[in-house]
Amino acid sequence: MIKNFLFILLLLLISCSKKPSDYNIKTFGALGDGVTLNTHAIQKAINACHTDGGGVVKISEGKYLTGTILLKDHVHLIIEEGATLMGSSDPRDYKSIDTFTDATGQERGNCLIGSIGAKDISISGKGIIDGNGTAFKHENLAITKKKLRINPAGFGKNRPFLLRFVRSSNISLKNIQLKQPAAWTCHFHESQDIVIDSISIYSHANFNNDGIDLDSSHNITISNCHIDTGDDAICFKTTSLQPTYNANVKNCTLKSDWGAIKFGTESMGDFYDIHISDCKIVDTKGGGIKILSVDGANINDVSIENIEMKNVDMPIFIRLGERLRTYRQASSQGMGSMNNISIKNIKASTRALAASRVSPPSGIFITGTPNYPIEKVHLENIHISLPGNGKLDAIQKVPELEKKYPEFSFFGMLPAYGMYARHIKHLEHKNLTFLTDQLDERDAIIIEDLLKTH
């Protein structure tokens, strides 16, 4: 009898000493009233979860206002259906991690949810993370300063990203809805082993509203995502000398006001072993596919296939340039290169004449510079519908713009409505068709300064 009592007592002690695996932020004092600032309570939940060896931090129904929170090792944040994590409108509630200056000259680093040097972290659930990005528009920041009766220098200048992962690994984003950041939505810098699946992004609250930025990172899978952005939808970049490589993107729907699938413009480190397939690009005011090396990056072994585009400004734009901008106090790099780029099985239609940034538009523009040609590009099974209406008397010499920001619209109307290519050593093209709604007096294809083609 005594032995049984002692055994039961031992079980009770073990049960009582067992640490929880779920940490609800309400237990730590969070209020989902949309008014209370919950930064401290949410961070307490994350810290407790991490200290206890990891587990789930749960955000249940309600609207939770917060500033910057930082994920830590083995913490898995779940935002349940009916729950919203909302960014504060006060810039003072945010922290900057690994601050840097981007290609537009803006200071970056603030974020709503971030990690630095963390491993085994995730964000999932059917809830919403809302950056409240309109609060950081110039006119709204002025209202905030007036309400707070303050006027600090640089107030709101470092607009917060929604999610930011720095030198972190084993990262998972699944199912979550990401909305309206003040700047980029998801930024991964010098991070690895990243899985992004079935998330949705709507990002039109402010300027520079990128969707997913893969920056000097590797071992990446993106699938089944729906991304609608005011700036680039999925962007590969390198703001350090570390490369971006081993990335796979598939079965995503992309909509953008600047570029749907983009490499650069920040392009100091290399890009290689990147594969994109089975995606749809719709109603995109900028380019569908933009591959840009202008800061010294070597871009190699890139394949893009099985892409459907509807109502896109320019379906394919490939540019090797000589801007050579530096980031993070790095020294200037030598010229980059492009080699073994394969684009095939593309069906596209461009925007109407009145809606095109360059009117009349062209389907494909490939250009190196006179001193630095592109190495090798393979194009196969590409079919593009265009409005036509190009006039011979409107054709002018296409400028080089070697050191300028690489944007196709800056070159003006091209002399070919289908494909204009120049400064390239080896261009393979097979089964390219370009159909116009009305007569276009320009040639379908013009290739200049080419060493080899077939």
Side-chain angles (χ1 to χ4, degrees):
M1 187 74 173
I2 294 175
K3 287 183 178 179
N4 288 340
F5 174 77
L6 291 174
F7 179 71
I8 292 170
L9 181 62
L10 180 62
L11 288 177
L12 287 171
L13 289 172
I14 292 171
S15 176
C16 290
S17 65
K18 186 179 180 182
K19 294 172 181 176
S21 59
D22 286 2
Y23 300 75
N24 194 308
I25 63 171
K26 290 182 178 179
T27 305
F28 294 82
L31 296 175
D33 57 9
V35 177
T36 303
L37 187 66
N38 294 289
T39 313
H40 182 63
I42 299 171
Q43 193 65 58
K44 279 177 62 179
I46 291 170
N47 292 350
C49 179
H50 167 67
T51 300
D52 291 345
V56 171
V57 173
K58 190 174 292 184
I59 300 179
S60 53
E61 187 171 0
K63 182 182 286 187
Y64 299 87
L65 193 69
T66 184
T68 299
I69 56 175
L70 298 178
L71 297 181
K72 298 186 177 181
D73 293 0
H74 312 301
V75 171
H76 305 283
L77 184 65
I78 294 181
I79 303 173
E80 296 181 333
E81 188 171 10
T84 298
L85 197 62
M86 174 72 74
S88 168
S89 60
D90 188 341
R92 298 175 301 175
D93 293 329
Y94 295 88
K95 296 178 181 178
S96 184
I97 58 174
D98 189 52
T99 308
F100 72 104
T101 301
D102 73 1
T104 66
Q106 297 180 80
E107 183 180 276
R108 304 295 194 189
N110 277 346
C111 58
L112 185 63
I113 301 177
S115 73
I116 184 161
K119 59 181 181 294
D120 182 28
I121 54 178
S122 70
I123 302 173
S124 63
K126 296 184 178 180
I128 298 168
I129 303 175
D130 190 325
N132 192 20
T134 56
F136 288 80
K137 288 187 172 182
H138 179 75
E139 59 271 23
N140 292 332
L141 285 171
I143 294 171
T144 300
K145 286 195 291 186
K146 188 174 182 180
K147 284 182 179 179
L148 296 173
R149 297 181 180 179
I150 58 173
N151 191 27
F155 185 77
K157 182 180 178 181
N158 188 336
R159 290 179 283 125
F161 295 170
L162 199 66
L163 310 180
R164 185 151 195 258
F165 305 92
V166 177
R167 295 186 290 279
S168 298
S169 62
N170 195 9
I171 306 163
S172 173
L173 302 180
K174 292 188 177 180
N175 300 315
I176 198 75
Q177 300 177 61
L178 306 177
K179 294 185 176 181
Q180 301 295 54
W184 302 351
T185 309
C186 302
H187 181 217
F188 300 85
H189 178 65
E190 292 187 353
S191 294
Q192 63 187 37
D193 303 322
I194 300 161
V195 175
I196 305 171
D197 183 39
S198 301
I199 71 168
S200 68
I201 294 175
Y202 183 81
S203 183
H204 289 271
N206 215 302
F207 298 103
N208 314 114
N209 283 150
D210 288 13
I212 299 174
D213 290 279
L214 305 166
D215 179 2
S216 297
S217 295
H218 63 277
N219 299 348
I220 304 154
T221 299
I222 302 174
S223 58
N224 310 310
C225 296
H226 190 282
I227 303 173
D228 182 350
T229 59
D231 212 316
D232 303 323
I234 296 178
C235 187
F236 303 89
K237 60 178 70 211
T238 47
T239 63
S240 78
L241 295 178
Q242 296 298 314
T244 292
Y245 67 95
N246 192 21
N248 290 273
V249 179
K250 60 183 179 179
N251 195 36
C252 293
T253 299
L254 311 175
K255 179 178 180 292
S256 169
D257 289 345
W258 196 250
I261 297 168
K262 184 176 176 184
F263 293 68
T265 61
E266 293 100 334
S267 49
M268 198 164 56
D270 295 343
F271 303 83
Y272 58 90
D273 194 15
I274 296 173
H275 311 282
I276 303 166
S277 65
D278 303 296
C279 293
K280 293 183 179 179
I281 298 172
V282 298
D283 298 330
T284 290
K285 296 178 183 177
I289 298 167
K290 293 178 169 180
I291 303 177
L292 316 170
S293 171
V294 294
D295 298 325
N298 299 298
I299 301 182
N300 302 299
D301 301 320
V302 172
S303 69
I304 303 174
E305 61 183 344
N306 303 332
I307 308 294
E308 181 180 343
M309 306 186 204
K310 292 183 179 180
N311 200 29
V312 173
D313 258 329
M314 175 171 280
I316 299 170
F317 176 43
I318 301 174
R319 170 60 155 164
L320 176 62
E322 303 175 31
R323 183 177 67 174
L324 300 181
R325 179 168 289 180
T326 61
Y327 311 90
R328 304 174 184 275
Q329 292 78 51
S331 58
S332 181
Q333 302 304 295
M335 268 299 297
S337 65
M338 288 187 176
N339 197 14
N340 294 328
I341 296 171
S342 174
I343 302 175
K344 63 182 182 179
N345 302 332
I346 309 294
K347 184 178 180 181
S349 63
T350 61
R351 289 162 63 84
L353 288 171
S356 295
R357 286 180 174 167
V358 177
S359 185
S362 297
I364 302 171
F365 183 21
I366 302 172
T367 180
T369 72
N371 294 322
Y372 298 98
I374 294 168
E375 293 290 331
K376 181 181 178 182
V377 174
H378 175 84
L379 306 175
E380 183 176 351
N381 295 333
I382 297 176
H383 309 284
I384 301 176
S385 299
L386 305 110
N389 200 42
K391 306 297 183 184
L392 288 177
D393 58 8
I395 295 175
Q396 298 181 357
K397 182 177 175 59
V398 180
E400 293 293 347
L401 306 179
E402 301 102 316
K403 300 181 186 299
K404 300 295 185 182
Y405 182 94
E407 183 53 40
F408 70 86
S409 59
F410 298 166
F411 292 86
M413 187 186 79
L414 301 178
Y417 64 83
M419 177 173 69
Y420 178 62
R422 66 180 182 183
H423 311 316
I424 179 169
K425 291 183 178 180
H426 190 178
L427 177 60
E428 299 176 348
H429 57 92
K430 178 181 179 182
N431 195 23
L432 308 186
T433 59
F434 305 102
L435 302 176
T436 60
D437 293 336
Q438 52 187 302
L439 178 66
D440 197 306
E441 297 176 359
R442 298 173 294 170
D443 291 335
I445 297 176
I446 294 177
I447 303 172
E448 298 176 349
D449 302 323
L450 182 71
L451 297 184
K452 185 176 180 182
T453 182
H454 66 270

